[in-house]
Amino acid sequence: MKTSITLSSLFLAAATLAGCAVFSPGPRASAKLSPTTGSAVTGSLQFVQKEGKVLVNGEVRGLKPNAEHGFHIHEKGDCSSGDGMSAGGHFNPTAMPHAAHSAAMHHAGDLPSLKADANGVATVNFESTSISVGASVTDISGKGLIVHRDPDDYKTQPTGNAGPRLACAVIVKS
């Protein structure tokens, strides 16, 4: 039995492999939010590094309906305390002021606020160039993820005055 390989089939195979390298996502991480004492907030989030940015998506449940909630990456991947304070302060490896995620200068851990619907569910879907998965000083692997009770005012330093911590997770590289 004789197999013949044409130039066009080799070209197609090379283009397919090259396309996979360009379009395949990079390192991934996930976080499973657990409620702090007295809270019912839970959720699951995924972080995918792709072409200089991190795609963040997931869902958070048990929030106050039709309300906004502060949402941050914190410096320690430690959710051992009942109030979430063991996660430390905001993740800020580049020593920037606290501000909105959309501001030119902000903590790496400053994320867009969560906006709960009428059922207390917030759908998360955004991109960030401030964080990374698996590389550089902005690597979020092993850091904490916190949902706060109140909206972030984006002014109060260094926390945004977002109130108590309702849920905590450790971001785990997969």
Side-chain angles (χ1 to χ4, degrees), residues 10-85:
L10 283 174
F11 177 75
L12 180 61
T16 302
L17 289 173
C20 288
V22 172
F23 297 110
S24 65
R28 297 173 177 265
S30 61
K32 184 175 170 71
L33 289 161
S34 296
T36 56
T37 303
S39 171
V41 175
T42 61
S44 178
L45 291 109
Q46 295 76 43
F47 303 84
V48 179
Q49 182 78 45
K50 184 175 181 185
E51 300 172 4
K53 60 189 165 197
V54 174
L55 310 175
V56 183
N57 63 59
E59 187 175 85
V60 180
R61 299 182 157 276
L63 298 165
K64 180 179 177 185
N66 300 313
E68 192 171 315
H69 300 269
F71 187 48
H72 308 109
I73 296 171
H74 284 248
E75 60 193 352
K76 299 176 188 172
D78 180 357
C79 296
S80 63
S81 65
D83 60 3
M85 294 301 288

Side-chain angles (χ1 to χ4, degrees), residues 114-172:
L114 298 175
K115 293 179 171 75
D117 65 15
N119 296 313
V121 177
T123 300
V124 179
N125 190 5
F126 66 91
E127 296 178 353
S128 178
T129 57
S130 305
I131 58 176
S132 64
V133 178
S136 86
V137 298
T138 60
D139 180 15
I140 59 171
S141 304
K143 304 300 180 201
L145 184 66
I146 297 288
V147 175
H148 293 272
R149 181 190 67 196
D150 302 324
D152 191 319
D153 67 14
Y154 302 117
K155 296 174 188 164
T156 304
Q157 298 297 324
T159 64
N161 197 30
R165 300 169 185 201
L166 298 178
C168 182
V170 177
I171 301 170
V172 178

